[in-house]
Amino acid sequence: DQQVKQNSPSLSVQEGRISILNCDYTNSMFDYFLWYKKYPAEGPTFLISISSIKDKNEDGRFTVFLNKSAKHLSLHIVPSQPGDSAVYFCAASGGWGGGSQGNLIFGKGTKLSVKP
Amino acid sequence: EADIYQTPRYLVIGTGKKITLECSQTMGHDKMYWYQQDPGMELHLIHYSYGVNSTEKGDLSSESTVSRIRTEHFPLTLESARPSHTSQYLCASSEGTGNSPLHFGNGTRLTVT
């Protein structure tokens, strides 16, 4: 059973507008969440993270929001740029050792297309 | 900037062949990982290592094996490749302190015919 779910396989946004990528998780023991971006034929690259003790973390155009009660996090990209077009993976880890000694559990990814 | 290298980038090989996927990192990271990913699917952890001579199986069962004789090198071996092994294999490393993010290589796309 998937512990980290990204229910939207794809998202299309106009350049300059906001992109919102969503992620849900089922395990309340997760205490750290990360977003990775992946271009075709490349490995994922780390984008931004958030600890469960926070509800928001911002880095430039990227902001991650965490709603622990809803077991939901989202990544906001404002303004969106064509270079942001990529697959975005949500990942979670738990200090209790879930997922092989606290290693990351990934979602299936959301493919973002930003149109000029 | 992370420096982690995987070779080959693409490999097409026949059933029954033995293959080794190479992964090297130059950052001195203790933790290294192998993930397997099929198109449109999540990354699944198949092996990890927390240091030299330490290897563990991940969440997804895999017929592959790994070794960690040197800190910088974490090769993955398939003794007898099968079409079911066709996938993308991603190697990663991390500093291993708390929630240090993973640094990924560009992956090896393996096709077994």
Side-chain angles (χ1 to χ4, degrees), chain A residues 10 99 104 106:
Chain A
S10 62
L104 292 180
F106 283 84

Side-chain angles (χ1 to χ4, degrees), chain A residues 32 36 41 43 100 103 107-108, chain B residues 9 33 42 50 59 99 102 105:
Chain A
Y32 199 71
Y36 284 81
S100 297
N103 292 318
K108 291 185 178 182
Chain B
R9 289 293 307 277
Y33 310 81
E42 58 267 61
Y50 285 174
D59 303 316
N99 291 306
L102 301 181

Side-chain angles (χ1 to χ4, degrees), chain A residues 2 4 31-32 34 36 38 40-46 49 89 93 98-109, chain B residues 9-10 31 33 35 37 40-45 48 50 57-59 88 90 99-107 109:
Chain A
Q2 271 192 286
V4 177
D31 60 4
Y32 199 71
L34 306 90
Y36 284 81
K38 185 180 185 297
E42 294 184 11
T45 56
F46 169 70
S49 62
F89 289 96
S93 70
S100 297
Q101 302 298 312
N103 292 318
L104 292 180
I105 306 293
F106 283 84
K108 291 185 178 182
Chain B
R9 289 293 307 277
Y10 304 92
K31 290 187 174 180
Y33 310 81
Y35 283 86
Q37 188 204 10
M41 301 297 289
E42 58 267 61
L43 282 71
H44 287 290
L45 181 67
Y48 62 100
Y50 285 174
K57 290 190 177 295
D59 303 316
Q88 183 177 40
L90 291 159
N99 291 306
S100 303
L102 301 181
H103 302 277
F104 283 89
N106 284 331
R109 184 162 292 284

